[in-house]
Amino acid sequence: MTAVITPPEVAPPEGKPVELTVDQRPLARKLGPGAPIRLSGLIGPLLLLGAWFLASWSGVLDPRILSEPWTVWSTARELIADGRLQDNLKVSAERATYGLALGVVVGLLLALVSGLSRFGEAVIDGPVQIKRAIPSLALIPLLVLWFGIGENMKIYTIALGAFVPIYLQTHSALRKIDLRYVELAQTVDLSRTDFLRRVVLPGALPGFLLGLRFAVTGAWISLVVVEQINATSGIGYMMELARTYGQTEIIVVGLVVYGLLGLLSDGAVRLIERRALRWQRTLG
Amino acid sequence: MAAHSGLRPTTAPVVVESLVRGFGPKGVLNGVDLTIEEGEFVALLGPSGCGKSTLLRALAGLDRAVSGSGRIVVPAERAVVFQDSRLLPWARVLDNTTLGQRGKAARDAGRTALREVGLEGREGAWPHELSGGEQQRAALARSLVRDPKLLLADEPFGALDALTRLKMHELLRKLHRAHQPSVLLVTHDVDEAIKLADRVVVLDHGRIAVEQVIDLDGDRDPSDPRFAAIRKELLATLGVGETTASDLRRESA
Protein backbone atom coordinates (compact mmCIF):
# COMPACT_ATOMS: atom_id res chain seq x y z
CA MET A 1 0.00 0.00 0.00
CA THR A 2 1.22 3.49 -0.74
CA ALA A 3 1.85 5.75 2.20
CA VAL A 4 1.01 9.36 1.67
CA ILE A 5 2.30 12.10 3.90
CA THR A 6 -0.42 14.59 4.54
CA PRO A 7 0.28 18.16 5.55
CA PRO A 8 -0.85 19.13 9.05
CA GLU A 9 -4.35 20.53 9.23
CA VAL A 10 -3.59 23.53 11.40
CA ALA A 11 -0.68 25.83 10.66
CA PRO A 12 1.70 25.53 13.62
CA PRO A 13 3.03 28.54 15.46
CA GLU A 14 6.24 29.67 13.91
CA GLY A 15 9.39 27.89 14.86
CA LYS A 16 7.58 24.94 16.39
CA PRO A 17 8.38 21.50 14.90
CA VAL A 18 5.59 19.80 12.98
CA GLU A 19 4.76 16.15 13.30
CA LEU A 20 3.75 14.66 9.98
CA THR A 21 1.29 11.81 10.08
CA VAL A 22 1.36 9.02 7.54
CA ASP A 23 -1.87 8.63 5.61
CA GLN A 24 -2.31 4.90 4.95
CA ARG A 25 -5.01 5.40 2.33
CA PRO A 26 -3.97 4.89 -1.30
CA LEU A 27 -3.50 8.07 -3.29
CA ALA A 28 -6.56 7.42 -5.43
CA ARG A 29 -8.73 7.61 -2.33
CA LYS A 30 -7.30 10.89 -1.14
CA LEU A 31 -7.57 12.88 -4.36
CA GLY A 32 -9.55 10.55 -6.63
CA PRO A 33 -13.11 9.23 -6.26
CA GLY A 34 -12.05 6.39 -3.90
CA ALA A 35 -12.03 2.63 -4.07
CA PRO A 36 -14.56 1.05 -6.45
CA ILE A 37 -17.82 -0.17 -4.87
CA ARG A 38 -19.03 -3.63 -5.92
CA LEU A 39 -22.09 -3.55 -8.21
CA SER A 40 -22.30 0.21 -7.67
CA GLY A 41 -24.37 0.59 -10.88
CA LEU A 42 -27.29 -1.25 -9.24
CA ILE A 43 -27.62 0.93 -6.14
CA GLY A 44 -29.46 3.87 -7.73
CA PRO A 45 -31.97 1.78 -9.77
CA LEU A 46 -32.72 -0.40 -6.70
CA LEU A 47 -33.47 2.70 -4.60
CA LEU A 48 -35.84 3.93 -7.31
CA LEU A 49 -37.58 0.53 -7.38
CA GLY A 50 -37.95 0.66 -3.61
CA ALA A 51 -39.56 4.10 -3.77
CA TRP A 52 -42.06 2.84 -6.37
CA PHE A 53 -42.94 -0.15 -4.15
CA LEU A 54 -43.46 2.06 -1.15
CA ALA A 55 -45.59 4.61 -3.01
CA SER A 56 -47.86 1.93 -4.53
CA TRP A 57 -48.14 -0.10 -1.32
CA SER A 58 -49.02 2.93 0.80
CA GLY A 59 -51.65 4.04 -1.75
CA VAL A 60 -49.96 7.37 -2.51
CA LEU A 61 -49.66 6.30 -6.13
CA ASP A 62 -52.98 5.72 -7.92
CA PRO A 63 -52.80 2.52 -10.09
CA ARG A 64 -54.51 4.46 -12.90
CA ILE A 65 -51.53 6.82 -12.98
CA LEU A 66 -48.91 4.11 -12.62
CA SER A 67 -49.54 0.41 -12.06
CA GLU A 68 -48.21 -1.32 -8.94
CA PRO A 69 -44.90 -3.16 -9.32
CA TRP A 70 -46.55 -6.54 -8.58
CA THR A 71 -49.19 -5.97 -11.32
CA VAL A 72 -46.43 -5.10 -13.74
CA TRP A 73 -44.58 -8.25 -12.67
CA SER A 74 -47.58 -10.54 -13.26
CA THR A 75 -48.34 -8.80 -16.57
CA ALA A 76 -44.75 -9.31 -17.66
CA ARG A 77 -45.04 -13.03 -16.79
CA GLU A 78 -48.25 -13.29 -18.83
CA LEU A 79 -46.66 -11.48 -21.79
CA ILE A 80 -43.73 -13.87 -21.63
CA ALA A 81 -46.00 -16.91 -21.22
CA ASP A 82 -47.96 -16.17 -24.40
CA GLY A 83 -44.75 -15.17 -26.26
CA ARG A 84 -45.76 -11.60 -27.09
CA LEU A 85 -42.89 -10.00 -25.19
CA GLN A 86 -40.21 -12.20 -26.78
CA ASP A 87 -41.59 -11.72 -30.29
CA ASN A 88 -41.75 -7.95 -29.97
CA LEU A 89 -38.39 -7.82 -28.22
CA LYS A 90 -36.79 -9.82 -31.02
CA VAL A 91 -38.14 -7.43 -33.65
CA SER A 92 -37.00 -4.38 -31.65
CA ALA A 93 -33.55 -5.79 -30.94
CA GLU A 94 -33.06 -6.60 -34.62
CA ARG A 95 -34.01 -3.08 -35.67
CA ALA A 96 -31.71 -1.53 -33.09
CA THR A 97 -28.83 -3.86 -33.99
CA TYR A 98 -29.06 -3.31 -37.74
CA GLY A 99 -29.49 0.43 -37.35
CA LEU A 100 -26.63 0.68 -34.89
CA ALA A 101 -24.34 -1.51 -36.99
CA LEU A 102 -25.03 0.58 -40.07
CA GLY A 103 -24.48 3.79 -38.12
CA VAL A 104 -21.22 2.55 -36.59
CA VAL A 105 -19.77 1.44 -39.92
CA VAL A 106 -20.77 4.65 -41.69
CA GLY A 107 -19.62 6.87 -38.82
CA LEU A 108 -16.28 5.08 -38.55
CA LEU A 109 -15.60 5.21 -42.29
CA LEU A 110 -16.50 8.89 -42.53
CA ALA A 111 -14.32 9.67 -39.48
CA LEU A 112 -11.35 7.83 -40.99
CA VAL A 113 -11.66 9.56 -44.36
CA SER A 114 -12.22 12.94 -42.76
CA GLY A 115 -9.55 12.44 -40.11
CA LEU A 116 -6.81 11.22 -42.43
CA SER A 117 -7.22 13.58 -45.39
CA ARG A 118 -7.77 17.31 -45.54
CA PHE A 119 -9.84 16.89 -48.69
CA GLY A 120 -12.02 14.31 -46.99
CA GLU A 121 -12.51 16.66 -44.08
CA ALA A 122 -13.47 19.51 -46.39
CA VAL A 123 -16.13 17.36 -48.03
CA ILE A 124 -17.44 15.40 -45.05
CA ASP A 125 -17.09 17.48 -41.90
CA GLY A 126 -19.46 20.32 -42.87
CA PRO A 127 -22.44 18.13 -43.80
CA VAL A 128 -21.99 16.02 -40.64
CA GLN A 129 -21.94 19.15 -38.49
CA ILE A 130 -25.15 20.29 -40.21
CA LYS A 131 -26.70 16.86 -39.66
CA ARG A 132 -25.66 17.13 -36.03
CA ALA A 133 -27.74 20.28 -35.67
CA ILE A 134 -30.84 18.56 -37.10
CA PRO A 135 -32.41 15.94 -34.81
CA SER A 136 -32.73 12.61 -36.62
CA LEU A 137 -36.34 12.45 -35.52
CA ALA A 138 -37.10 15.64 -37.43
CA LEU A 139 -36.03 13.81 -40.57
CA ILE A 140 -38.61 11.06 -40.11
CA PRO A 141 -41.29 12.69 -42.35
CA LEU A 142 -38.75 12.86 -45.17
CA LEU A 143 -37.51 9.32 -44.51
CA VAL A 144 -41.10 8.06 -44.62
CA LEU A 145 -41.57 9.71 -48.01
CA TRP A 146 -38.34 8.19 -49.33
CA PHE A 147 -38.37 4.72 -47.82
CA GLY A 148 -42.02 4.18 -46.91
CA ILE A 149 -43.13 2.98 -43.52
CA GLY A 150 -41.37 -0.39 -43.62
CA GLU A 151 -38.31 -1.72 -41.86
CA ASN A 152 -35.80 0.23 -43.97
CA MET A 153 -37.12 3.57 -42.81
CA LYS A 154 -36.77 2.48 -39.18
CA ILE A 155 -33.24 1.16 -39.61
CA TYR A 156 -32.12 4.29 -41.49
CA THR A 157 -33.57 6.54 -38.80
CA ILE A 158 -31.66 4.66 -36.10
CA ALA A 159 -28.47 4.67 -38.18
CA LEU A 160 -28.79 8.42 -38.80
CA GLY A 161 -28.86 9.05 -35.09
CA ALA A 162 -26.06 6.61 -34.30
CA PHE A 163 -23.41 7.62 -36.83
CA VAL A 164 -23.05 11.21 -35.62
CA PRO A 165 -21.50 10.54 -32.17
CA ILE A 166 -19.29 7.79 -33.66
CA TYR A 167 -18.04 10.23 -36.28
CA LEU A 168 -17.51 13.14 -33.88
CA GLN A 169 -15.63 11.22 -31.18
CA THR A 170 -13.53 9.11 -33.56
CA HIS A 171 -12.61 12.11 -35.68
CA SER A 172 -11.59 14.17 -32.68
CA ALA A 173 -9.53 11.27 -31.26
CA LEU A 174 -7.81 10.77 -34.61
CA ARG A 175 -6.78 14.39 -34.76
CA LYS A 176 -5.40 14.21 -31.23
CA ILE A 177 -2.94 11.41 -32.01
CA ASP A 178 0.52 12.67 -31.04
CA LEU A 179 2.67 13.81 -33.97
CA ARG A 180 5.61 12.11 -32.27
CA TYR A 181 4.06 8.75 -33.13
CA VAL A 182 3.70 9.79 -36.74
CA GLU A 183 7.40 10.63 -36.71
CA LEU A 184 8.18 7.26 -35.14
CA ALA A 185 6.10 5.51 -37.79
CA GLN A 186 8.19 7.25 -40.40
CA THR A 187 11.51 6.18 -38.86
CA VAL A 188 10.46 2.52 -38.76
CA ASP A 189 9.11 2.71 -42.33
CA LEU A 190 5.55 1.77 -41.44
CA SER A 191 3.40 1.16 -44.48
CA ARG A 192 0.16 3.11 -44.79
CA THR A 193 -1.80 0.00 -43.81
CA ASP A 194 0.39 -0.74 -40.80
CA PHE A 195 0.25 2.90 -39.76
CA LEU A 196 -3.55 2.66 -39.77
CA ARG A 197 -3.58 -0.69 -37.99
CA ARG A 198 -0.96 -0.06 -35.32
CA VAL A 199 -1.05 3.70 -34.70
CA VAL A 200 -4.21 5.36 -35.98
CA LEU A 201 -6.88 2.83 -35.03
CA PRO A 202 -5.60 1.98 -31.53
CA GLY A 203 -4.94 5.67 -30.92
CA ALA A 204 -8.49 6.59 -31.89
CA LEU A 205 -10.05 3.64 -30.05
CA PRO A 206 -10.84 5.55 -26.82
CA GLY A 207 -12.74 8.16 -28.84
CA PHE A 208 -14.53 5.53 -30.88
CA LEU A 209 -15.67 3.65 -27.77
CA LEU A 210 -16.94 6.85 -26.17
CA GLY A 211 -18.85 7.57 -29.38
CA LEU A 212 -20.20 4.01 -29.30
CA ARG A 213 -21.67 4.56 -25.85
CA PHE A 214 -23.51 7.64 -27.08
CA ALA A 215 -24.58 5.81 -30.23
CA VAL A 216 -25.99 2.82 -28.33
CA THR A 217 -28.09 5.05 -26.09
CA GLY A 218 -29.20 7.07 -29.11
CA ALA A 219 -30.19 3.92 -31.00
CA TRP A 220 -32.66 2.89 -28.27
CA ILE A 221 -34.14 6.38 -28.18
CA SER A 222 -34.66 6.41 -31.95
CA LEU A 223 -36.15 2.92 -31.70
CA VAL A 224 -38.83 4.07 -29.28
CA VAL A 225 -39.88 6.83 -31.63
CA VAL A 226 -39.93 4.85 -34.86
CA GLU A 227 -41.86 2.01 -33.21
CA GLN A 228 -44.58 4.32 -32.03
CA ILE A 229 -45.34 5.59 -35.53
CA ASN A 230 -46.55 3.24 -38.23
CA ALA A 231 -45.24 0.07 -36.62
CA THR A 232 -47.07 -3.24 -36.39
CA SER A 233 -44.57 -5.00 -34.16
CA GLY A 234 -41.92 -4.26 -31.58
CA ILE A 235 -41.88 -3.12 -27.97
CA GLY A 236 -42.94 0.42 -28.94
CA TYR A 237 -45.90 -0.94 -30.89
CA MET A 238 -46.89 -3.12 -27.92
CA MET A 239 -46.86 -0.02 -25.69
CA GLU A 240 -48.74 2.11 -28.20
CA LEU A 241 -51.43 -0.57 -28.39
CA ALA A 242 -51.64 -0.69 -24.60
CA ARG A 243 -52.13 3.06 -24.49
CA THR A 244 -55.24 2.68 -26.67
CA TYR A 245 -56.71 0.28 -24.10
CA GLY A 246 -55.45 2.16 -21.06
CA GLN A 247 -53.22 -0.73 -19.90
CA THR A 248 -50.56 1.15 -17.95
CA GLU A 249 -49.04 -2.11 -16.70
CA ILE A 250 -48.07 -3.11 -20.26
CA ILE A 251 -46.67 0.38 -20.88
CA VAL A 252 -44.56 0.02 -17.75
CA VAL A 253 -43.37 -3.44 -18.84
CA GLY A 254 -42.28 -1.85 -22.12
CA LEU A 255 -40.51 0.96 -20.27
CA VAL A 256 -38.71 -1.51 -18.02
CA VAL A 257 -37.63 -3.54 -21.04
CA TYR A 258 -36.30 -0.42 -22.77
CA GLY A 259 -34.51 0.58 -19.59
CA LEU A 260 -32.96 -2.87 -19.13
CA LEU A 261 -31.87 -2.96 -22.77
CA GLY A 262 -30.24 0.43 -22.39
CA LEU A 263 -28.47 -0.56 -19.18
CA LEU A 264 -27.30 -3.90 -20.55
CA SER A 265 -25.99 -2.48 -23.81
CA ASP A 266 -24.22 0.37 -22.05
CA GLY A 267 -22.70 -2.16 -19.65
CA ALA A 268 -21.56 -4.25 -22.60
CA VAL A 269 -19.82 -1.29 -24.22
CA ARG A 270 -18.18 -0.37 -20.92
CA LEU A 271 -16.94 -3.93 -20.57
CA ILE A 272 -15.45 -3.75 -24.06
CA GLU A 273 -13.95 -0.37 -23.13
CA ARG A 274 -12.33 -1.77 -20.01
CA ARG A 275 -10.87 -4.72 -21.87
CA ALA A 276 -9.74 -2.80 -24.93
CA LEU A 277 -8.20 0.12 -23.05
CA ARG A 278 -6.25 -1.88 -20.49
CA TRP A 279 -3.11 -0.04 -21.57
CA GLN A 280 -4.40 3.20 -20.08
CA ARG A 281 -3.49 4.14 -16.56
CA THR A 282 -6.43 6.08 -15.13
CA LEU A 283 -8.33 6.71 -11.95
CA GLY A 284 -10.72 3.96 -13.13
CA MET B 1 15.93 16.18 -49.32
CA ALA B 2 19.09 17.14 -51.16
CA ALA B 3 20.13 15.66 -54.48
CA HIS B 4 22.33 12.62 -54.25
CA SER B 5 24.08 12.89 -57.61
CA GLY B 6 27.71 13.63 -58.36
CA LEU B 7 29.26 12.50 -55.10
CA ARG B 8 32.94 11.82 -54.73
CA PRO B 9 33.50 8.09 -54.52
CA THR B 10 33.80 7.06 -50.89
CA THR B 11 33.29 3.92 -48.89
CA ALA B 12 31.93 5.75 -45.85
CA PRO B 13 28.25 4.88 -45.26
CA VAL B 14 27.42 8.36 -44.00
CA VAL B 15 28.47 11.43 -45.93
CA VAL B 16 27.20 14.95 -45.28
CA GLU B 17 28.43 17.75 -47.55
CA SER B 18 27.83 21.49 -47.17
CA LEU B 19 24.58 20.89 -45.36
CA VAL B 20 22.52 24.06 -44.85
CA ARG B 21 19.20 24.17 -43.02
CA GLY B 22 17.39 27.48 -42.69
CA PHE B 23 18.87 30.48 -44.49
CA GLY B 24 20.09 33.88 -43.37
CA PRO B 25 21.64 35.00 -40.12
CA LYS B 26 19.26 32.71 -38.23
CA GLY B 27 20.29 29.61 -40.20
CA VAL B 28 20.38 26.48 -38.07
CA LEU B 29 23.05 24.66 -40.05
CA ASN B 30 25.48 26.77 -42.04
CA GLY B 31 27.44 24.28 -44.11
CA VAL B 32 28.18 21.09 -42.22
CA ASP B 33 30.60 18.48 -43.60
CA LEU B 34 30.64 15.17 -41.80
CA THR B 35 31.69 11.65 -42.65
CA ILE B 36 31.01 8.63 -40.47
CA GLU B 37 32.89 5.44 -41.23
CA GLU B 38 31.46 1.97 -41.05
CA GLY B 39 31.03 0.97 -37.42
CA GLU B 40 32.31 4.33 -36.20
CA PHE B 41 30.74 5.87 -33.10
CA VAL B 42 30.48 9.65 -33.41
CA ALA B 43 29.19 11.86 -30.62
CA LEU B 44 27.78 15.23 -31.62
CA LEU B 45 28.28 17.74 -28.86
CA GLY B 46 27.16 21.31 -28.52
CA PRO B 47 25.09 23.75 -26.51
CA SER B 48 21.30 23.84 -26.80
CA GLY B 49 20.08 25.33 -30.05
CA CYS B 50 23.35 24.76 -31.91
CA GLY B 51 21.65 22.60 -34.52
CA LYS B 52 22.57 19.13 -33.20
CA SER B 53 19.03 17.80 -33.41
CA THR B 54 18.48 19.48 -36.78
CA LEU B 55 21.48 17.59 -38.18
CA LEU B 56 20.28 14.30 -36.70
CA ARG B 57 16.76 14.80 -38.02
CA ALA B 58 18.17 15.55 -41.46
CA LEU B 59 20.06 12.23 -41.39
CA ALA B 60 16.91 10.47 -40.18
CA GLY B 61 14.94 11.91 -43.10
CA LEU B 62 12.57 13.63 -40.69
CA ASP B 63 13.07 17.21 -41.88
CA ARG B 64 10.28 17.62 -44.37
CA ALA B 65 9.31 21.07 -45.61
CA VAL B 66 12.39 22.97 -44.45
CA SER B 67 14.53 25.29 -46.51
CA GLY B 68 18.04 24.06 -47.06
CA SER B 69 20.69 22.67 -49.36
CA GLY B 70 23.58 20.25 -49.31
CA ARG B 71 24.09 16.55 -49.85
CA ILE B 72 23.35 13.63 -47.57
CA VAL B 73 24.15 9.98 -48.12
CA VAL B 74 22.91 7.55 -45.50
CA PRO B 75 22.28 3.81 -45.48
CA ALA B 76 18.69 2.72 -45.96
CA GLU B 77 18.89 0.64 -42.78
CA ARG B 78 18.61 3.40 -40.20
CA ALA B 79 17.15 3.38 -36.74
CA VAL B 80 16.35 6.34 -34.53
CA VAL B 81 16.27 6.48 -30.74
CA PHE B 82 14.60 9.60 -29.37
CA GLN B 83 14.98 11.33 -26.03
CA ASP B 84 11.58 9.97 -25.05
CA SER B 85 11.25 6.23 -25.57
CA ARG B 86 8.29 6.87 -27.86
CA LEU B 87 6.75 3.48 -27.20
CA LEU B 88 3.16 3.20 -28.38
CA PRO B 89 1.20 3.15 -25.10
CA TRP B 90 -1.44 0.80 -26.54
CA ALA B 91 1.03 -1.87 -27.69
CA ARG B 92 2.79 -4.38 -25.47
CA VAL B 93 6.56 -4.23 -25.24
CA LEU B 94 7.19 -6.99 -27.80
CA ASP B 95 4.73 -5.43 -30.28
CA ASN B 96 6.47 -2.10 -29.81
CA THR B 97 9.82 -3.72 -30.45
CA THR B 98 8.69 -5.30 -33.71
CA LEU B 99 6.84 -2.21 -34.95
CA GLY B 100 7.11 -2.07 -38.72
CA GLN B 101 8.17 -5.72 -39.03
CA ARG B 102 5.90 -8.65 -39.72
CA GLY B 103 5.94 -12.40 -39.32
CA LYS B 104 7.31 -14.92 -36.87
CA ALA B 105 10.93 -14.14 -37.71
CA ALA B 106 10.33 -10.54 -36.61
CA ARG B 107 8.84 -11.68 -33.30
CA ASP B 108 11.80 -13.95 -32.68
CA ALA B 109 14.14 -11.09 -33.50
CA GLY B 110 12.15 -8.91 -31.10
CA ARG B 111 12.53 -11.46 -28.30
CA THR B 112 16.26 -11.74 -28.96
CA ALA B 113 16.65 -7.96 -28.94
CA LEU B 114 14.70 -7.66 -25.68
CA ARG B 115 16.93 -10.32 -24.12
CA GLU B 116 19.98 -8.39 -25.31
CA VAL B 117 18.86 -5.17 -23.62
CA GLY B 118 17.97 -7.05 -20.43
CA LEU B 119 14.19 -7.00 -20.79
CA GLU B 120 13.68 -10.75 -21.01
CA GLY B 121 10.33 -11.68 -19.48
CA ARG B 122 8.82 -8.22 -20.01
CA GLU B 123 7.61 -8.94 -23.56
CA GLY B 124 3.95 -8.82 -22.53
CA ALA B 125 4.17 -5.72 -20.32
CA TRP B 126 2.53 -2.40 -21.17
CA PRO B 127 4.94 0.51 -21.65
CA HIS B 128 3.55 2.34 -18.60
CA GLU B 129 4.54 -0.62 -16.44
CA LEU B 130 8.23 -0.06 -17.28
CA SER B 131 10.57 2.36 -15.55
CA GLY B 132 12.13 5.21 -17.53
CA GLY B 133 15.34 3.24 -18.04
CA GLU B 134 13.46 0.11 -19.10
CA GLN B 135 11.41 2.12 -21.59
CA GLN B 136 14.60 3.40 -23.15
CA ARG B 137 15.96 -0.18 -23.24
CA ALA B 138 12.82 -1.20 -25.12
CA ALA B 139 13.40 1.68 -27.54
CA LEU B 140 16.96 0.42 -28.09
CA ALA B 141 15.59 -3.08 -28.69
CA ARG B 142 13.19 -1.65 -31.27
CA SER B 143 16.12 -0.16 -33.17
CA LEU B 144 18.17 -3.40 -32.85
CA VAL B 145 15.42 -5.45 -34.47
CA ARG B 146 15.90 -3.40 -37.62
CA ASP B 147 19.59 -4.41 -37.67
CA PRO B 148 20.62 -0.86 -38.59
CA LYS B 149 23.79 0.16 -40.40
CA LEU B 150 23.30 3.61 -38.88
CA LEU B 151 21.94 4.26 -35.42
CA LEU B 152 20.81 7.84 -34.77
CA ALA B 153 20.32 8.66 -31.11
CA ASP B 154 18.97 12.06 -30.06
CA GLU B 155 19.92 12.58 -26.41
CA PRO B 156 18.61 9.09 -25.63
CA PHE B 157 19.63 9.24 -21.97
CA GLY B 158 18.84 12.89 -21.34
CA ALA B 159 15.71 12.17 -19.34
CA LEU B 160 17.24 9.44 -17.16
CA ASP B 161 18.71 9.72 -13.69
CA ALA B 162 22.49 9.62 -13.30
CA LEU B 163 22.75 5.99 -12.16
CA THR B 164 20.45 4.66 -14.85
CA ARG B 165 22.37 6.71 -17.38
CA LEU B 166 25.65 5.00 -16.41
CA LYS B 167 24.05 1.59 -16.88
CA MET B 168 22.66 2.65 -20.25
CA HIS B 169 26.15 3.79 -21.32
CA GLU B 170 27.43 0.29 -20.63
CA LEU B 171 24.54 -1.22 -22.55
CA LEU B 172 25.03 1.03 -25.57
CA ARG B 173 28.76 0.24 -25.64
CA LYS B 174 28.01 -3.47 -25.47
CA LEU B 175 25.42 -3.25 -28.24
CA HIS B 176 27.73 -1.21 -30.44
CA ARG B 177 30.53 -3.74 -29.97
CA ALA B 178 28.19 -6.64 -30.79
CA HIS B 179 26.44 -5.17 -33.84
CA GLN B 180 28.95 -2.61 -35.14
CA PRO B 181 26.55 -0.05 -36.62
CA SER B 182 27.74 3.45 -37.37
CA VAL B 183 26.40 5.64 -34.59
CA LEU B 184 25.61 9.33 -34.37
CA LEU B 185 24.86 10.19 -30.75
CA VAL B 186 23.59 13.69 -30.05
CA THR B 187 24.32 14.73 -26.48
CA HIS B 188 25.17 17.72 -24.36
CA ASP B 189 26.96 15.58 -21.80
CA VAL B 190 30.74 15.87 -22.39
CA ASP B 191 31.56 12.84 -20.21
CA GLU B 192 29.02 10.73 -22.06
CA ALA B 193 30.55 11.75 -25.38
CA ILE B 194 34.12 10.95 -24.30
CA LYS B 195 33.09 7.69 -22.69
CA LEU B 196 31.22 6.27 -25.67
CA ALA B 197 32.52 7.78 -28.87
CA ASP B 198 35.42 7.06 -31.21
CA ARG B 199 35.26 10.67 -32.28
CA VAL B 200 33.60 13.74 -30.78
CA VAL B 201 32.32 16.48 -33.06
CA VAL B 202 31.45 19.85 -31.57
CA LEU B 203 28.81 21.84 -33.37
CA ASP B 204 28.66 25.57 -32.81
CA HIS B 205 26.52 28.16 -34.57
CA GLY B 206 25.56 25.68 -37.25
CA ARG B 207 29.14 24.68 -38.11
CA ILE B 208 31.49 21.98 -36.97
CA ALA B 209 33.86 23.79 -34.62
CA VAL B 210 36.09 20.95 -33.44
CA GLU B 211 36.62 17.28 -34.17
CA GLN B 212 38.39 15.24 -31.54
CA VAL B 213 39.36 11.60 -31.93
CA ILE B 214 39.10 9.77 -28.62
CA ASP B 215 41.93 7.25 -28.56
CA LEU B 216 41.40 6.00 -25.04
CA ASP B 217 40.94 2.31 -24.56
CA GLY B 218 39.62 0.07 -21.80
CA ASP B 219 36.95 1.34 -19.49
CA ARG B 220 37.53 5.06 -20.07
CA ASP B 221 37.56 6.06 -16.45
CA PRO B 222 36.72 9.78 -15.98
CA SER B 223 39.45 9.97 -13.34
CA ASP B 224 42.05 8.97 -15.96
CA PRO B 225 44.21 12.12 -16.54
CA ARG B 226 43.97 11.67 -20.32
CA PHE B 227 40.16 11.58 -20.03
CA ALA B 228 40.33 14.75 -17.95
CA ALA B 229 42.58 16.44 -20.50
CA ILE B 230 40.19 15.72 -23.35
CA ARG B 231 37.26 16.90 -21.26
CA LYS B 232 39.05 20.15 -20.43
CA GLU B 233 39.81 20.76 -24.06
CA LEU B 234 36.27 20.07 -25.20
CA LEU B 235 34.78 22.22 -22.46
CA ALA B 236 37.07 25.07 -23.48
CA THR B 237 35.76 24.75 -27.04
CA LEU B 238 32.26 24.94 -25.67
CA GLY B 239 33.24 28.11 -23.81
CA VAL B 240 32.87 26.63 -20.37
CA GLY B 241 36.50 26.94 -19.24
CA GLU B 242 37.32 25.41 -15.91
CA THR B 243 33.81 24.34 -14.96
CA THR B 244 32.87 20.70 -14.77
CA ALA B 245 30.83 18.67 -17.17
CA SER B 246 27.96 18.37 -14.75
CA ASP B 247 27.65 22.17 -14.70
CA LEU B 248 27.37 22.16 -18.45
CA ARG B 249 24.77 19.45 -18.23
CA ARG B 250 22.71 21.52 -15.83
CA GLU B 251 23.12 24.67 -17.90
CA SER B 252 21.87 23.27 -21.14
CA ALA B 253 19.18 21.01 -19.71
Side-chain angles (χ1 to χ4, degrees), chain B residues 161-179:
Chain B
D161 65 272
L163 275 176
T164 311
R165 197 180 308 171
L166 291 178
K167 284 184 195 154
M168 294 300 284
H169 289 166
E170 286 312 311
L171 176 64
L172 187 55
R173 282 181 74 171
K174 190 187 92 183
L175 294 177
H176 178 244
R177 231 174 284 144
H179 298 272

Side-chain angles (χ1 to χ4, degrees), chain A residues 177 180-181 183-191 193-194 197-200 202-203 278-281, chain B residues 57 61-62 64 78 80 82 84 86-90 92 95-96 98-100 102 126 128 142 146:
Chain A
I177 290 178
R180 297 177 311 135
Y181 298 134
E183 218 173 71
L184 170 72
Q186 208 178 319
T187 65
V188 298
D189 298 321
L190 271 195
S191 64
T193 331
D194 271 355
R197 209 168 56 88
R198 302 198 57 176
V199 180
V200 173
R278 262 176 309 173
W279 52 270
Q280 283 184 335
R281 196 170 36 167
Chain B
R57 292 174 64 83
L62 284 174
R64 300 286 154 96
R78 278 166 297 170
V80 185
F82 300 93
D84 60 305
R86 217 163 283 202
L87 300 172
L88 298 172
W90 47 78
R92 293 176 187 276
D95 293 325
N96 260 297
T98 58
L99 187 68
R102 279 188 175 185
W126 297 110
H128 76 72
R142 181 178 59 205
R146 309 181 54 74

Side-chain angles (χ1 to χ4, degrees), chain A residues 95-97 99-105 107-108 136 157-170 207-223 262 265-266 269:
Chain A
R95 281 176 190 148
T97 310
L100 185 65
L102 185 63
V104 167
V105 170
L108 188 61
S136 302
T157 308
I158 295 168
L160 264 177
F163 96 92
V164 175
I166 296 275
Y167 170 87
L168 290 176
Q169 303 295 340
T170 311
F208 169 76
L209 288 172
L210 181 63
L212 187 59
R213 277 182 73 183
F214 286 124
V216 166
T217 318
W220 293 119
I221 293 172
S222 305
L223 183 72
S265 48
D266 192 54
V269 180

Side-chain angles (χ1 to χ4, degrees), chain A residues 80-137:
Chain A
I80 293 170
D82 63 17
R84 273 170 71 197
L85 190 64
Q86 295 94 308
D87 291 348
N88 285 315
L89 182 63
K90 185 166 167 282
V91 174
S92 290
E94 273 174 10
R95 281 176 190 148
T97 310
Y98 290 143
L100 185 65
L102 185 63
V104 167
V105 170
V106 170
L108 188 61
L109 285 178
L110 289 180
L112 283 178
V113 174
S114 167
L116 295 175
S117 97
R118 292 288 171 194
F119 181 73
E121 187 176 34
V123 174
I124 292 169
D125 200 58
V128 176
Q129 298 294 343
I130 294 171
K131 164 64 196 72
R132 185 186 169 199
I134 305 172
S136 302
L137 308 179

Side-chain angles (χ1 to χ4, degrees), chain A residues 140-148:
Chain A
I140 289 181
L142 207 52
L143 291 170
V144 170
L145 279 178
W146 290 347
F147 305 110

Side-chain angles (χ1 to χ4, degrees), chain B residues 6-81:
Chain B
L7 280 169
R8 283 190 299 263
T10 168
T11 51
V14 179
V15 180
V16 177
E17 282 185 353
S18 334
L19 191 69
V20 174
R21 284 289 181 265
F23 289 111
K26 284 197 157 182
V28 189
L29 297 178
N30 298 316
V32 171
D33 295 297
L34 180 68
T35 308
I36 304 178
E37 299 296 334
E38 206 177 316
E40 191 186 16
F41 196 131
V42 173
L44 189 59
L45 205 59
S48 290
C50 70
K52 309 187 291 277
S53 291
T54 309
L55 178 54
L56 181 128
R57 292 174 64 83
L59 292 185
L62 284 174
D63 57 349
R64 300 286 154 96
V66 292
S67 59
S69 62
R71 288 194 281 227
I72 301 174
V73 180
V74 281
E77 300 88 351
R78 278 166 297 170
V80 185
V81 182

